[in-house]
Amino acid sequence: MRIALPDGRSVAAGDEGVDAVLSEVLGEPVTLVDTPPPDAVLERSRPEEVLAAGVAVPVPVDEGRLGAAAPPGGFVDFAPVHLVTTATLRRIGAELPSGVVDPVRYRPNLVLDTAGPGFEENDWLGRELRIGADVVLRVVARTPRCAVPTLAHGRLPRDPEALRVPARLNRVVPLDGLAPQPCVGAYAQVVRAGRVRAGDPVRLA
């Protein structure tokens, strides 16, 4: 793996001194690893606090186990697959001055083309999605959103509405035992692996 740095340089994961280079760029001591430490936690800023204080202000966070829904050896925030529907993106976009929202803002692995009113992912919890000939996913949670969608993403500027709109339209319980939160999309685990191609049919089991 090669990592492109803001100044145009790049470093490889196996380079000597890669941790020092990344620490300098990020302004924090970091270590590049390929498996999470057993005690690693994920910090999520509280959406209401972010909207009240702004994205540049430190706010309280909630902690959870890093990779709680990942397979052994996996290294992701929560679950290995994040998906969102085009209907949900259209519903959010309709509330924005531009009329559209770039899916990059919410960083899904898969964008599923649907014709519904939006937020149909809410109803998929516990169900399986069959994609193409081989792939089977199990939806394990609705995706709660923190401050990250409001930040700049490449050419996309900061936009607090990326969190305000879901907070207004789709404040739901992401997973049993949690309080309602602004959600966009769904997390899934891989039941049967395979290749996914653009245009593959998707069936909800």
Side-chain angles (χ1 to χ4, degrees):
M1 180 181 69
R2 295 203 67 81
I3 302 167
L5 305 178
D7 62 7
R9 294 179 296 157
S10 69
V11 293
D15 286 352
E16 184 177 346
V18 64
D19 292 343
V21 172
L22 295 177
S23 296
E24 178 185 356
V25 170
L26 296 170
E28 297 283 348
V30 298
T31 304
L32 188 63
V33 297
D34 59 3
T35 55
D39 58 349
V41 297
L42 174 67
E43 292 183 347
R44 289 187 66 256
S45 53
R46 296 175 183 167
E48 291 77 10
E49 303 278 354
V50 172
L51 292 176
V55 296
V57 179
V59 298
V61 299
D62 294 314
E63 290 187 351
R65 184 168 67 85
L66 184 66
F75 199 169
V76 292
D77 286 355
F78 178 70
V81 180
H82 174 227
L83 53 91
V84 69
T85 65
T86 54
T88 291
L89 295 173
R90 284 193 300 271
R91 182 70 182 90
I92 295 170
E95 300 292 319
L96 302 175
S98 65
V100 296
V101 61
D102 193 317
V104 169
R105 181 74 67 183
Y106 297 102
R107 307 169 323 283
N109 301 105
L110 297 173
V111 177
L112 307 182
D113 189 16
T114 60
F119 303 114
E120 54 264 60
E121 305 94 321
N122 290 348
D123 300 326
W124 295 353
L125 193 61
R127 300 179 71 182
E128 289 186 351
L129 289 169
R130 299 176 182 273
I131 304 176
D134 302 316
V135 175
V136 179
L137 306 178
R138 180 179 295 113
V139 177
V140 295
R142 301 164 189 110
T143 307
R145 311 315 309 208
C146 59
V148 174
T150 71
L151 305 177
H153 288 66
R155 63 180 175 77
L156 300 177
R158 285 189 174 189
D159 187 2
E161 292 302 304
L163 182 56
R164 285 199 182 105
V165 171
R168 188 170 67 251
L169 298 180
N170 197 48
R171 186 181 293 272
V172 295
V173 172
L175 196 60
D176 288 347
L178 299 179
Q181 299 178 44
C183 292
V184 177
Y187 282 123
Q189 295 172 325
V190 178
V191 176
R192 189 170 69 211
R195 185 179 297 275
V196 174
R197 297 174 178 85
D200 276 348
V202 179
R203 301 174 299 282
L204 186 63

